[in-house]
Amino acid sequence: MRNLKKKLKTFWHNLGPGLITGAADDDPSGIVTYAVAGAKLGLAALWTALATLPFMIITQRMAGRIGLISGRGLAGNMKKYYPKWILIIIATLIVGANIINIGADISAMSASINLLVPRIPSIFFSALIPLVLVALLILLPYHKMANYLKWIAIAMFSYVLAAFFVDLDWSQILHRTFIPQIVHSKDYLMIIVAVFGTTISPYLFFWQAAGAVEEEVLHQHPKRKDGGVMIPGVEPHIKHRSSHIIKNEISVMYKDVRYGMAFSNLITYFIIILCAFTLFKAGTFNPGTVEEIASALRPMAGPYSNFLFLLGILAAGTLAIPVLAGSAAYALSEMFGWRWGFFNSFHRAKQFYLVIIIATLLGIAIPAFRLHPVEILVWTAVIFGLVSPPLILLLIHMANNPKIMGKYVSRLHSNIIAYILFLIMTGSIILMFTL
């Protein structure tokens, strides 16, 4: 019994950026995109939950390994080894798309709370949610924040539970899991681009790489209060480790990524199933609001599934907004040479935290304009789908650049899988615009 407890404790301790990244990948934008996929296409998009898994694992492993080996995030490596215009374009796209995504997530979260507490207007929660999250990010030390985020990720299992309140046809589910149903239409391709875009989101690459650096700095300097890669000696200390230590760190990171991505896609899988057997079956093919999705679940799956769906959105948003704002802050901080990292206090990394605050507060504008929430959430996923291919190419190049990676460049099979992902996403985008 003691050995089991010890193993579970070690397992939980080793789960870091990978689990948080995987859970944050199923943000409210992703949840609504998967819900719309299930409502509009039934089980026709279910194959994507399985098909995207190897692509997610490989790209996140590349990003994490870049951070571990170089001691820099993606933006820091772009700045040092690539033309300046590449960094400016990528950073601008990431920050802009992240702000839109933050706003869409705030909108979905406030709508969910409003359904649970209908007497208070949703606009009140639209202002309260980001303020609370920003305060927690500033006040909590990184290791505590990461631990809390891991616990919040467990709440995402609400979607697995919700699906079992529905009468499911498992023979049909398994058939559509392994045998893709291809529909030659613009709507189908747009949903596929959105699913790939929200599942393999570019901001996750920035979070994974920088998160790997944060974990390493925290491990090497557990009592250091003024940590950060801008401190002389920290980056060389990360880079000049023994081969044995590096291989062990990469192995731990790989396991973390595998668990995180598998967790993410398990949630995706059950969201599509849940909505295929409720919304699609009931003829609710084009839900316009989060309220409409939740309300449609109630008569077919009961009040518990309705509550679990809303709980999942709240947990997902709590995870995703810090990741979205944090990845924007990583990108801009490394671009401008500011001290960065959640292991820094606010007074040591003011610009880093100000980017988080501003990005989060700008997101409030989305629900304030009362724009069509589900359309915003789905189009956010499509935007990420459009941004992903060039960033995937850059990620592959970085992971194979000896100046960055030394002898730890990517292996052939990883490169092949990443290039296949690039071709699939590029081809889907071209077909979407030409049909």
Side-chain angles (χ1 to χ4, degrees):
M1 192 67 180
R2 281 186 181 179
N3 286 338
L4 179 62
K5 283 184 179 179
K6 189 176 180 181
K7 285 180 180 178
L8 288 172
K9 190 174 181 181
T10 303
F11 170 76
W12 181 254
H13 177 73
N14 287 338
L15 290 177
L19 177 65
I20 296 168
T21 301
D25 189 29
D26 292 319
D27 70 324
S29 172
I31 290 167
V32 170
T33 300
Y34 305 138
V36 169
K40 194 182 285 283
L41 304 175
L43 295 175
L46 189 59
W47 62 272
T48 59
L50 182 64
T52 54
L53 183 57
F55 301 130
M56 292 171 71
I57 291 173
I58 290 299
T59 51
Q60 291 303 133
R61 278 175 24 171
M62 282 183 172
R65 199 169 67 253
I66 289 167
L68 272 178
I69 300 302
S70 69
R72 299 184 188 86
L74 296 189
N77 282 298
M78 287 182 207
K79 183 178 181 180
K80 184 166 184 178
Y81 298 106
Y82 296 88
K84 191 176 180 180
W85 62 268
I86 293 178
L87 175 58
I88 293 170
I89 291 173
I90 294 292
T92 302
L93 289 171
I94 289 295
V95 172
N98 282 14
I99 289 171
I100 295 170
N101 205 346
I102 288 168
D105 288 353
I106 291 170
S107 181
M109 291 174 73
S110 58
S112 299
I113 299 175
N114 184 238
L115 276 175
L116 298 172
V117 190
R119 292 185 179 182
I120 302 175
S122 62
I123 196 70
F124 170 77
F125 297 113
S126 296
L128 180 64
I129 289 165
L131 292 175
V132 170
L133 290 177
V134 165
L136 290 175
L137 284 172
I138 292 172
L139 296 174
L140 280 179
Y142 173 74
H143 65 282
K144 285 188 178 179
M145 183 192 75
N147 201 41
Y148 291 145
L149 289 177
K150 285 194 287 187
W151 280 110
I152 292 169
I154 303 302
M156 299 291 290
F157 271 109
S158 62
Y159 290 110
V160 179
L161 295 175
F164 286 98
F165 285 96
V166 182
D167 185 21
L168 303 176
D169 182 348
W170 280 101
S171 63
Q172 191 181 359
I173 289 168
L174 291 173
H175 177 73
R176 285 299 167 213
T177 300
F178 298 102
I179 301 175
Q181 181 180 348
I182 308 299
V183 181
H184 192 69
S185 74
K186 189 168 186 175
D187 278 350
Y188 177 84
L189 284 167
M190 182 180 140
I191 291 294
I192 297 304
V193 169
V195 168
F196 269 79
T198 197
T199 304
I200 307 169
S201 301
Y203 70 87
L204 296 178
F205 304 154
F206 285 83
W207 177 266
Q208 184 73 43
V213 179
E214 295 231 26
E215 288 283 319
E216 182 58 30
V217 171
L218 191 67
H219 175 71
Q220 298 292 345
H221 305 279
K223 297 181 180 179
R224 197 167 199 158
K225 302 299 183 184
D226 62 345
V229 296
M230 294 297 292
I231 297 175
V234 173
E235 185 182 318
H237 185 72
I238 291 174
K239 290 179 74 175
H240 297 159
R241 290 158 292 167
S242 71
S243 179
H244 172 73
I245 291 174
I246 291 173
K247 285 179 180 178
N248 183 61
E249 288 169 347
I250 290 174
S251 175
V252 170
M253 184 267 291
Y254 279 8
K255 287 179 184 177
D256 182 31
V257 166
R258 282 199 300 272
Y259 292 133
M261 299 305 106
F263 174 83
S264 173
N265 281 34
L266 178 70
I267 305 304
T268 299
Y269 188 72
F270 277 95
I271 292 171
I272 294 175
I273 290 171
L274 175 65
C275 293
F277 281 93
T278 52
L279 304 182
F280 181 77
K281 195 174 179 181
T284 309
F285 304 127
N286 295 294
T289 63
V290 172
E291 294 93 325
E292 193 175 338
I293 295 172
S295 299
L297 289 173
R298 192 179 189 90
M300 298 196 71
Y304 292 111
S305 66
N306 177 301
F307 172 76
L308 291 169
F309 183 84
L310 298 175
L311 175 65
I313 284 182
L314 294 175
T318 304
L319 276 163
I321 290 174
V323 172
L324 285 158
S327 58
Y330 287 139
L332 290 183
S333 296
E334 287 198 297
M335 184 168 79
F336 291 111
W338 300 332
R339 190 186 299 274
W340 59 269
F342 287 107
F343 49 81
N344 276 308
S345 62
F346 179 82
H347 80 277
R348 295 287 299 177
K350 289 187 179 70
Q351 295 99 327
F352 173 77
Y353 284 101
L354 283 174
V355 172
I356 291 172
I357 293 168
I358 293 167
T360 307
L361 295 181
L362 284 174
I364 297 174
I366 300 284
F369 283 121
R370 297 187 179 278
L371 299 171
H372 199 285
V374 168
E375 277 191 7
I376 294 169
L377 289 161
V378 174
W379 273 106
T380 300
V382 173
I383 290 168
F384 279 130
L386 298 175
V387 172
S388 288
L391 189 54
I392 289 167
L393 268 186
L394 186 58
L395 186 71
I396 295 169
H397 194 276
M398 279 189 187
N400 288 277
N401 188 339
K403 292 180 181 177
I404 297 172
M405 304 302 295
K407 65 180 181 180
Y408 298 99
V409 294
S410 282
R411 294 178 180 176
L412 180 62
H413 75 277
S414 296
N415 292 328
I416 290 171
I417 292 171
Y419 276 120
I420 290 171
L421 172 63
F422 169 77
L423 292 173
I424 290 172
M425 296 194 73
T426 304
S428 299
I429 291 165
I430 292 168
L431 285 172
M432 184 181 76
F433 283 112
T434 53
L435 274 181

